Amino acid sequence: MPPPVKLAIIGGGPSAFYVASRLLSLLPLGDPISPPLRVHMYDRLWAPHGLVRYGVAPDHPEVKVSVNIFMSSKQQLGHLQNCTNKFDATATDPRFRFFGNVNVGNTALRSIPHALPLPLPSILKNYSHLLFATGCTLPTLHPAIPPSVYCIPALSLVHWYTRHPSQPPPPALDKISHVTLIGNGNVSLDIARILLTSPSVLRHYDVPEHVLEVLSRSTVKHVSIVGRRGPLESAFTTKELREMINLPEASMIPIEPSLLTPPPGVTPTRQQRRTLELLQKGSKNPPGSTPKTWELHFYRSPTSLTPPSTDSAPDMANLTLAHTRLDPTTSRAVSTGETSTLPTSLVVTSLGFHADPETTFFDPVLSHLRSSAGRITSSEGLPLKNVYASGWAANGAKGVLASTMMDAYAVADTIISDIVPPTDGVKLNSTSSVLATGTASDELLNPRPDLDALPAEIVHGIRDGMVTQYSDWTAVGAEEVRRGETLGKERERLGWEEARSFIALSRARS
């Protein structure tokens, strides 16, 4: 039998759970080839599931429920899996434990001050294996328009309407009329849709009451969505575009027809053709027939944002946009030398995400952790023994839940290949990487940890009510659903202080 394995997973999002799920299923409890195994998951957020809870738009509950997965074998098989149910099932394995509201690192977490600090050395001395599934938690900012009272990152709005523990301030929607989104990916369209949809529709979804109250006072009448390239290069999906086009109380400003004609010699893909057809057709509501409108601006790139002047409307800043064209050799947007000005109340930048530079093994060139084939590498490029990375932490902020799952499974197979001899009959994907002979010389982790011991900080944090466990989340989740039912909605989310009080009462009763 292989030696005991005690894995710490830092991060509690989909990638972390998919790795844990595959490890526990391929190394079943009681199987003679399975080593004694413990999987302990640490998350800086008090609630698990990461972007599934705090990133998916609240009016998209189907994304949280199911993810379409295609498995490669002798034939392609498509099926649906309930991802949150899968995560819940993983947590029932007695070898698994979750510890929330824990910030693993050597610096304090400014955005979530109530998170319990846990120095990385405490992990290293208590575990034999370590996986970073910390994601990309910071927004990529635009160098020409830094955050200000007139410019905020999209992540601030997403965290506001999902009640993220960082508790960003609510936007002053009752004082503005025009919002401009920089970037035309799905996150931009999510935000535009939330701003242009009546609160009476949104209140049936997983939208917190304090968010609905702000939206009910909103004076936003128009949303502009700016992209530096053309319709064929748009980052949004046809599903998201169709939802925008079918908004009941908003209409789309028609697009110049010449922009919707593919360049000579370019054959659009099937998805690109659908996008062009939808844009040519326009919105369900005719322009001018609705109280709210929205517009897509193609071939535009911001160069500056000037606060309101005495000559402009009091709530309108001036966004200067460089006109661009597509370089046919590189497909990059290049300036034509022409500019225009777009008056707007608020600019929201939605340009992607990157890992926290303070995370151990962060690579500033890659904007995520140093890794190769699922293994964390040293500054010299050598893999570190028994230290791994998965998901956005390893690959950058790209892909969807299905691709995250496939990557996580490959990393899980790599971990298993390190702990179980390949002759022992565990069926792995052929893509799992075997540890190279040239590895970093330092052994960071404890090869013989006490399987059931916890870092002292975690023991004290559980006792003091500062660290949540999966059973706590299960109780809170049920309470959120119960409160939602009384309001006629999916759930009513709890913030940290409410959750902490509820958990304390639940523990006292049990």
Side-chain angles (χ1 to χ4, degrees):
M1 177 183 290
V5 173
K6 188 179 182 185
L7 170 68
I9 299 179
I10 304 177
S15 180
F17 272 93
Y18 283 133
V19 170
S21 170
R22 186 160 177 86
L23 286 174
L24 294 167
S25 63
L26 289 182
L27 301 174
L29 186 64
D31 192 298
I33 69 167
S34 298
L37 174 66
R38 300 293 185 271
V39 177
H40 292 174
M41 186 178 292
Y42 294 88
D43 197 351
R44 66 197 181 99
L45 308 179
W46 65 265
H49 306 162
L51 283 176
V52 172
R53 177 170 170 89
Y54 293 115
V56 174
D59 60 339
H60 278 177
E62 75 284 353
V63 177
K64 305 173 193 176
V65 170
S66 58
V67 51
N68 195 22
I69 302 160
F70 293 91
M71 307 294 290
S72 295
S73 59
K74 291 184 180 179
Q75 55 181 246
Q76 293 288 333
L77 298 177
H79 67 282
L80 292 175
Q81 283 191 346
N82 185 318
C83 63
T84 50
N85 280 358
K86 186 178 183 68
F87 302 160
D88 290 342
T90 298
T92 63
D93 191 301
R95 298 169 294 173
F96 174 91
R97 295 190 72 177
F98 170 83
F99 305 105
N101 197 47
V102 177
N103 177 47
V104 177
N106 300 320
T107 57
L109 191 61
R110 291 186 296 272
S111 60
I112 309 176
H114 57 70
L116 180 78
L118 179 64
L120 185 59
S122 293
I123 291 285
L124 299 178
K125 72 181 182 181
N126 277 280
Y127 293 88
S128 63
H129 294 70
L130 173 61
L131 168 71
F132 288 89
T134 44
C136 290
T137 59
L138 298 180
T140 298
L141 304 178
H142 198 290
I145 44 174
S148 69
V149 67
Y150 299 103
C151 180
I152 62 173
L155 195 61
S156 178
L157 285 180
V158 173
H159 282 175
W160 167 65
Y161 63 61
T162 59
R163 202 167 190 180
H164 189 274
S166 60
Q167 300 184 77
L173 299 182
D174 58 339
K175 294 179 173 63
I176 62 178
S177 59
H178 183 185
V179 173
T180 298
L181 289 149
I182 307 299
N184 57 16
N186 284 346
V187 173
S188 283
L189 267 61
D190 283 343
I191 291 172
R193 192 177 62 254
I194 295 294
L195 293 176
L196 296 171
T197 300
S198 170
S200 64
V201 174
L202 294 175
R203 71 170 51 257
H204 299 293
Y205 295 102
D206 183 9
V207 183
E209 288 296 301
H210 72 281
V211 173
L212 290 170
E213 195 277 328
V214 173
L215 290 171
S216 69
R217 295 185 283 108
S218 172
T219 54
V220 174
K221 298 298 182 186
H222 184 78
V223 174
S224 295
I225 304 169
V226 177
R228 67 182 185 275
R229 298 191 291 175
L232 294 181
E233 295 77 35
S234 297
F236 53 71
T237 61
T238 51
K239 176 184 179 295
E240 293 268 350
L241 177 59
R242 190 176 291 110
E243 288 179 325
M244 288 291 296
I245 282 174
N246 290 323
L247 286 173
E249 296 182 21
S251 56
M252 183 183 80
I253 303 298
I255 297 171
E256 170 62 41
S258 63
L259 295 179
L260 303 179
T261 302
V266 174
T267 302
T269 65
R270 182 180 180 187
Q271 179 171 328
Q272 289 173 330
R273 287 198 305 272
R274 288 179 175 175
T275 296
L276 293 177
E277 290 166 1
L278 288 170
L279 294 176
Q280 289 163 351
K281 184 179 178 181
S283 57
K284 178 181 71 174
N285 297 315
S289 66
T290 57
K292 299 178 181 179
T293 54
W294 60 280
E295 184 174 9
L296 288 165
H297 299 261
F298 294 111
Y299 299 111
R300 298 290 185 268
S301 181
T303 59
S304 67
L305 180 64
T306 307
S309 66
T310 54
D311 298 328
S312 62
D315 71 329
M316 290 290 189
N318 288 311
L319 178 65
T320 302
L321 299 171
H323 296 201
T324 63
R325 62 175 178 82
L326 210 60
D327 185 320
T329 58
T330 64
S331 295
R332 297 177 66 89
V334 295
S335 176
T336 66
E338 186 180 356
T339 64
S340 57
T341 300
L342 179 65
T344 187
S345 312
L346 178 67
V347 174
V348 179
T349 53
S350 183
L351 303 170
F353 311 94
H354 61 83
D356 188 340
E358 295 182 349
T359 305
T360 307
F361 307 118
F362 176 80
D363 188 319
V365 176
L366 299 173
S367 294
H368 56 78
L369 305 193
R370 292 194 311 268
S371 67
S372 176
R375 302 180 187 279
I376 289 289
T377 58
S378 69
S379 56
E380 292 78 27
L382 296 175
L384 300 180
K385 185 179 179 180
N386 297 342
V387 186
Y388 313 89
S390 68
W392 284 10
N395 307 305
K398 58 186 177 182
V400 294
L401 274 174
S403 57
T404 294
M405 188 199 73
M406 299 307 293
D407 169 78
Y409 281 8
V411 175
D413 289 355
T414 294
I415 297 173
I416 293 174
S417 72
D418 288 348
I419 61 179
V420 179
T423 57
D424 279 1
V426 179
K427 185 174 177 57
L428 305 178
N429 291 337
S430 59
T431 54
S432 63
S433 72
V434 178
L435 185 62
T437 54
T439 57
S441 58
D442 293 340
E443 185 153 348
L444 299 176
L445 293 138
N446 181 356
R448 300 186 183 280
D450 182 329
L451 276 183
D452 294 310
L454 299 176
E457 298 92 335
I458 300 303
V459 174
H460 297 151
I462 293 172
R463 181 196 63 198
D464 298 339
M466 291 300 295
V467 173
T468 59
Q469 300 185 75
Y470 210 86
S471 57
D472 299 325
W473 158 246
T474 301
V476 169
E479 175 65 9
E480 289 184 345
V481 171
R482 186 195 67 78
R483 294 187 185 191
E485 287 174 348
T486 65
L487 298 169
K489 62 200 296 188
E490 181 185 337
R491 67 170 62 225
E492 177 59 21
R493 297 183 176 218
L494 273 63
W496 164 244
E497 292 301 332
E498 286 179 288
R500 186 183 180 192
S501 298
F502 178 81
I503 291 168
L505 288 174
S506 298
R507 290 178 180 178
R509 296 191 189 107
S510 61

